[in-house]
Amino acid sequence: MQAVHQPLQTKANERRPANSTGPNRGRRPNFRAMLRNKEMQAALGSGLLMLFAWGISSWSSVLSVVLYIAAYVMGGWTKAKEGVETLVKERDLDVNLLMIAASLGAAAIGYWNEGAMLIFIFALSGALESYATERSHKDISSLLALKPETALRMEDGQLNRVTIDELEQGDLLLVKPGELIPADGIVCRGSSFVHQASITGEPMPVDKSHGDEVYAGTVNGEGALYIEVTRSAEGSVFGKIIKLIEEAQADVPASQRFIERFEGIYARVVVAATLLVIGGAPILLGWSWGEAFYKAMVFLVVASPCALVSSIMPVMLSTMSSSARRGILFKGGAHVENLAQTRVVAFDKTGTLTMGTPQVTDMLIADGYERDEVLAAAAAIENQSMHPLARAIVDHARMEGLALPDAGQVQALTGSGIEGCVNGVNWSVGKLEANDLPDLSGWKDAIHRLQQQGKTISVVNADGQPAGLIAMRDEVRPQAAAAVRKLEAMGVRVVMLTGDRPETAAVIARETGVCDVHAGLLPEDKVAQVKELRERYGAVLMVGDGVNDAPALAAATVGMGMGMSGSGTALDVADVVLMNDNIEEIAWAIRQSRRAQRTMKQNMAFAISVIAVLIGANFLQNVALPFGVVGHEGSTILVILNGLRLLR
């Protein structure tokens, strides 16, 4: 079985240096990778053949023509094939056929070098666009190379190699040094450092020991780790991200769909105009047939929409690529355009502005009871509940090293808590109700203080009498306040939508700097609020992590889910995913989307201007074919390079 695992270990070790650079990995286009692109090799080969043909044209015209033909074939074969397929399958013309027709027309009137130059520059621009596509796919799908396949599972004291699909919650795994961690889990034994940039974006390895959480798809360092599985492979953070990657780039932005429709219509108009110049100019304007054909070829070159067609997708792909490296996954290019329009960001509270994992902060114990006794009994009955507050009490008891006694007759009290029998005493744990206050009059001031701090209070009763209070709080994310400041500095309105109590929401709002708070909301109330915000302010970005956030995510202009802590439902609905849950990156994502929007507008304005100027100059100033080739195709390359800037 070791032979099966070895390639994965090699991948992990190969990926580690790349991951160590963190979010800034790949800041500039990799020119070596660009040269490995087959289209780029064909384009450069075509250019070299063109130069050789031009160099020997003075002493061997026949050999020169042969080399020119070779340059035409090498640089134009792929584009000609694409153009013919479009013509045959879709019965439509595209820019590929226009360029091939223009280059062949140039050769037909003896301008072999100009035709070859057109082929070369056209192929070069196409190779650059292909590089942008390839780079985007590579950056977004790079996590697939880290997908674990097998794991070492401890069974009856023996280690057995199993596939990750066989893993279940509670399994004990051994992860050797240098191996991929196969599942989300908790470290039970051992200590090591873990490279987890693929999931969290952290550039430095993170020390892991007993009780620490680890994620599937990250790379173990130099120590062996025994890990208890907490999520199945499908439910792991890595599994969610892989599912999202499969959906990425599915949507074509509206602007690109318009350009694609426009291209076919425009190409037919250009062909018709070219034929009109060839056939009509000698009759109507008295031009010679040769002059008319020459101007028609120049027109065919300069009027082709190469730059216009290339003004959007390189920008979009570069934006998606650079965003993926920062842990922001767009499910499609359409969402980049929508995010650029954002005027309001609506945050869910729990799990978004806060960590989503309550922690025990305070305990009040009644006379006649011991602190450890109350905590152990409460944890014993809460151990049979999956409620987040129950897990907080159990985790706190275990953190303090308490042994949990056996609990019997445990049953949930609908809407109010849980009860059970521990050591012959009937214990119950439930939320603080107004009718509890008379029995807790001695703790009135303390309860008021804890509630003002935004803490949730559970009452622990023994045989119907208050034995203690346990206060818990969901801590604010460390980057939440900075995220809100950055958004407001951009002129974006920040709103909190939460189902929590107004008192708790107000405390979190004060700590994060959110001024507009709507608390006590049911899922349908959140949807109504999102719709109202859209009507009042414009495009709304909704950020959430839970199942109850899914309707609001769907109702927003753009829904953004939390990749690590988010539920599967929320991630399915979300248009954009924060793979590392770093909400401070939201401002960057909006800025990058706006930058992409500006770049697309610049490209389109530039492309249309160049086409208009060259067409006018061709008929008014007799533009030479070489100048038309360089001007038009040069503008295409400039447009693509302008889009590739967003890879940085």
Side-chain angles (χ1 to χ4, degrees):
M1 297 301 291
Q2 183 64 29
V4 174
H5 184 71
Q6 188 62 37
L8 291 174
Q9 184 171 339
T10 303
K11 285 181 182 178
N13 291 332
E14 289 175 352
R15 290 289 300 175
R16 191 161 49 187
N19 283 337
S20 66
T21 61
N24 292 325
R25 175 170 56 87
R27 284 177 61 88
R28 295 180 176 85
N30 187 327
F31 291 104
R32 289 185 178 179
M34 199 179 291
L35 290 175
R36 288 195 293 268
N37 183 286
K38 291 183 178 180
E39 283 192 50
M40 182 63 71
Q41 292 172 357
L44 295 178
S46 174
L48 287 174
L49 287 171
M50 177 191 70
L51 289 176
F52 287 145
W54 176 76
I56 66 171
S57 59
S58 58
W59 59 272
S60 178
S61 58
V62 174
L63 182 57
S64 173
V65 169
V66 171
L67 291 176
Y68 276 131
I69 292 173
Y72 276 54
V73 173
M74 180 172 285
W77 174 256
T78 300
K79 296 299 182 183
K81 183 180 177 183
E82 292 175 4
V84 170
E85 287 178 352
T86 301
L87 182 64
V88 173
K89 294 180 180 179
E90 302 177 20
R91 299 184 181 278
D92 204 356
L93 291 172
D94 65 7
V95 70
N96 295 306
L97 273 186
L98 292 186
M99 288 296 95
I100 298 301
S103 59
L104 293 176
I109 57 176
Y111 287 87
W112 285 95
N113 192 61
E114 286 76 4
M117 186 186 301
L118 176 60
I119 288 288
F120 163 63
I121 301 178
F122 184 57
L124 182 63
S125 64
L128 287 172
E129 188 165 356
S130 295
Y131 170 74
T133 304
E134 183 180 296
R135 176 67 176 270
S136 178
H137 279 289
K138 181 179 179 182
D139 283 328
I140 292 175
S141 303
S142 60
L143 288 174
L144 291 170
L146 291 175
K147 184 178 181 180
E149 298 291 345
T150 62
L152 277 175
R153 183 168 64 186
M154 183 72 73
E155 299 174 349
D156 299 325
Q158 301 291 323
L159 286 172
N160 296 313
R161 180 72 66 178
V162 297
T163 65
I164 61 168
D165 293 333
E166 298 177 62
L167 297 180
E168 298 178 355
Q169 185 176 343
D171 285 347
L172 183 63
L173 310 179
L174 170 63
V175 183
K176 297 179 180 179
E179 289 188 342
L180 290 167
I181 293 174
D184 289 3
I186 301 293
V187 177
C188 298
R189 301 204 310 267
S191 62
S192 181
F193 58 86
V194 174
H195 298 270
Q196 51 187 37
S198 60
I199 301 295
T200 67
E202 295 173 276
M204 300 300 294
V206 179
D207 291 330
K208 299 288 184 180
S209 58
H210 177 75
D212 290 332
E213 188 173 12
V214 292
Y215 304 108
T218 57
V219 184
N220 187 21
E222 297 178 350
L225 295 175
Y226 284 88
I227 296 171
E228 180 183 345
V229 177
T230 56
R231 299 186 189 94
S232 65
E234 184 179 348
S236 70
V237 172
F238 191 85
K240 295 175 187 175
I241 293 172
I242 293 300
K243 183 179 179 181
L244 294 172
I245 286 173
E246 293 171 352
E247 300 172 358
Q249 296 176 304
D251 286 346
V252 176
S255 54
Q256 181 64 23
R257 288 196 296 269
F258 169 76
I259 288 294
E260 289 173 355
R261 291 194 302 269
F262 174 77
E263 179 188 353
I265 299 171
Y266 184 82
R268 289 194 291 272
V269 171
V270 169
V271 170
T274 301
L275 296 175
L276 181 62
V277 171
I278 294 173
I283 300 172
L284 299 176
L285 302 177
W287 294 354
S288 66
W289 183 88
E291 181 184 9
F293 192 84
Y294 184 86
K295 283 188 177 292
M297 289 303 100
V298 175
F299 171 77
L300 186 57
V301 170
V302 301
S304 295
C306 301
L308 193 58
V309 170
S310 302
S311 56
I312 293 176
M313 283 313 293
V315 175
M316 204 63 64
L317 294 171
S318 297
T319 301
M320 294 172 67
S321 177
S322 59
S323 298
R325 291 199 303 273
R326 291 184 71 108
I328 304 163
L329 180 62
F330 286 92
K331 289 188 181 179
H335 308 308
V336 176
E337 288 188 335
N338 293 335
L339 189 63
Q341 311 301 321
T342 299
R343 295 294 175 265
V344 179
V345 174
F347 284 104
D348 169 52
K349 180 184 73 66
T350 305
T352 305
L353 288 173
T354 66
M355 298 298 293
T357 52
Q359 304 290 326
V360 173
T361 59
D362 304 87
M363 289 188 64
L364 301 176
I365 306 300
D367 293 337
Y369 295 92
E370 296 293 331
R371 182 181 184 281
D372 287 356
E373 175 192 11
V374 173
L375 179 58
I381 59 175
E382 292 281 31
N383 195 34
Q384 300 190 37
S385 170
M386 293 304 294
H387 192 281
L389 296 180
R391 304 319 305 167
I393 293 173
V394 173
D395 291 344
H396 191 72
R398 286 175 171 168
M399 183 182 68
E400 294 196 357
L402 298 181
L404 302 188
D406 292 332
Q409 303 175 26
V410 177
Q411 61 178 352
L413 304 175
T414 305
S416 59
I418 193 170
E419 65 178 6
C421 184
V422 178
N423 296 328
V425 178
N426 291 320
W427 293 84
S428 66
V429 183
K431 62 183 179 180
L432 179 66
E433 302 283 1
N435 54 13
D436 292 328
L437 294 179
D439 296 331
L440 303 172
S441 57
W443 291 334
K444 185 176 180 180
D445 291 341
I447 290 172
H448 179 72
R449 173 177 55 82
L450 293 172
Q451 288 179 333
Q452 288 298 110
Q453 294 172 355
K455 296 176 180 178
T456 300
I457 300 174
S458 291
V459 181
V460 183
N461 289 314
D463 287 332
Q465 298 299 315
L469 299 180
I470 300 177
M472 289 160 281
R473 175 180 160 92
D474 187 6
E475 294 299 324
V476 172
R477 287 187 182 274
Q479 64 274 78
V484 172
R485 286 196 302 271
K486 288 182 177 180
L487 289 168
E488 290 181 339
M490 297 169 59
V492 175
R493 187 179 185 87
V494 180
V495 179
M496 181 196 297
L497 306 179
T498 178
D500 212 337
R501 295 182 303 112
E503 297 86 355
T504 303
V507 172
I508 300 300
R510 282 198 302 271
E511 294 185 14
T512 57
V514 178
C515 297
D516 193 352
V517 180
H518 302 269
L521 302 179
L522 296 173
E524 56 267 31
D525 298 326
K526 290 185 179 182
V527 171
Q529 287 291 337
V530 167
K531 290 181 178 178
E532 182 179 340
L533 290 169
R534 290 187 68 171
E535 291 176 3
R536 291 182 60 186
Y537 301 105
V540 174
L541 167 64
M542 176 70 196
V543 187
D545 74 312
V547 173
N548 62 327
D549 297 321
L553 292 173
T557 310
V558 178
M560 181 176 286
M562 309 292 278
M564 294 177 64
S565 59
S567 68
T569 303
L571 295 182
D572 285 342
V573 174
D575 306 310
V576 185
V577 177
L578 282 176
M579 294 192 293
N580 52 19
D581 285 5
N582 184 0
I583 60 175
E584 199 171 354
E585 295 287 358
I586 295 174
W588 182 91
I590 294 174
R591 279 198 304 271
Q592 187 74 343
S593 297
R594 290 177 177 178
R595 185 182 172 205
Q597 198 81 341
R598 289 194 302 270
T599 303
M600 284 189 289
K601 290 178 180 177
Q602 292 168 3
N603 284 350
M604 293 178 72
F606 177 70
I608 292 171
S609 299
V610 169
I611 291 173
V613 168
L614 290 176
I615 289 175
N618 178 45
F619 291 108
L620 299 176
Q621 298 294 328
N622 296 320
V623 172
L625 182 58
F627 181 81
V629 169
V630 173
H632 184 265
E633 289 304 315
S635 68
T636 303
I637 290 179
L638 288 176
V639 160
I640 293 173
L641 291 176
N642 193 38
L644 291 179
R645 289 189 305 113
L646 274 75
L647 282 172
R648 292 182 296 177

